[in-house]
């Protein structure tokens, strides 16, 4: 079996990607401290054509060498903005009509494999700090929560890994048409 070269993959150019349809999902990073995790979210956001990423609180913003190391340039192709407060950001997104879901282990969280996104609905998915998770303020303002089912002894996944799992799940169900 021959490996396929990048040129053969048929990927969009950055200009084509800028004009392409997006998955109706906004990623909100609530005080994510690792720049490598931020970069990984950009790269995953590019792969799954998220609408945009909102960087909140202490979350680092581009340009940054550390973000670029994992984003590999996706910080230039994925729309992003900064908000000082994730809680205020969630309020803004709800006012825009987004259904806001914290990706967090909370009472009443829906297991990701049982959640079915509604076609035509816009979503904002909030991912939290590597140690403290999504802040209680943000969880309180969210419309609901999603939890990734796990079978091991650890209580959580790395935040960027969680982003990949959740965004892939959404992409499988509401991916943009090409």
């Amino acid at each position: 079996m021959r490996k396929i070269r990048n040129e053969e993959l048929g990927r969009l150019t950055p200009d084509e990607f800028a004009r392409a349809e997006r998955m109706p999902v906004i990623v909100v990073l609530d005080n994510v401290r690792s720049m490598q995790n931020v970069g990984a979210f950009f790269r995953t956001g590019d792969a799954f054509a998220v609408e945009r990423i909102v960087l909140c609180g202490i979350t680092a913003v581009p340009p940054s060498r550390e973000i670029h190391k994992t984003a590999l340039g996706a910080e230039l192709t994925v729309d992003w903005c900064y908000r000082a407060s994730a809680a205020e950001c969630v309020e803004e997104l709800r006012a825009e009509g987004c259904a806001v879901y914290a990706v967090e282990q909370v009472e009443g969280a829906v297991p990701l494999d049982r959640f079915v996104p509604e076609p035509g609905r816009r979503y904002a998915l909030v991912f939290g700090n590597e140690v403290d998770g999504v802040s209680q303020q943000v969880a309180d303002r969210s419309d609901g929560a999603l939890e990734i089912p796990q079978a091991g002894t650890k209580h959580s996944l790395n935040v960027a890994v969680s982003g990949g799992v959740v965004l892939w799940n959404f992409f499988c169900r509401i991916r943009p048409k090409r």
Side-chain angles (χ1 to χ4, degrees), residues 96-166:
E96 289 177 21
C98 289
V100 178
Y101 284 84
V103 179
E104 187 58 85
Q105 297 163 329
V106 297
E107 293 174 347
V110 176
L112 182 62
D113 58 331
R114 293 191 187 146
F115 182 78
V116 180
E118 297 174 36
R121 184 108 198 240
R122 286 177 67 218
Y123 291 90
L125 302 173
V126 185
F127 297 87
N129 177 274
E130 292 86 342
V131 174
D132 299 322
V134 174
S135 70
Q136 188 63 55
Q137 266 190 321
V138 170
D140 290 343
R141 288 170 170 77
S142 297
D143 296 304
L146 302 174
E147 182 176 352
I148 301 168
Q150 298 172 48
T153 62
K154 299 302 168 197
H155 301 287
S156 65
L157 295 167
N158 169 275
V159 67
V161 172
S162 295
V165 169
V166 173

Side-chain angles (χ1 to χ4, degrees), residues 15 24 29 37-38 53 69 77 91 99 103 106 113 152 159-160:
D15 288 339
L29 301 184
N37 284 334
V38 174
I53 297 175
K69 277 171 46 175
T77 59
E91 293 292 345
V103 179
V106 297
D113 58 331
V159 67

Side-chain angles (χ1 to χ4, degrees), residues 53-75:
I53 297 175
V54 185
L55 308 168
C56 300
I58 66 165
T59 307
V61 300
S64 161
R65 179 186 153 125
E66 290 301 308
I67 290 173
H68 183 74
K69 277 171 46 175
T70 47
L72 296 179
E75 73 277 22

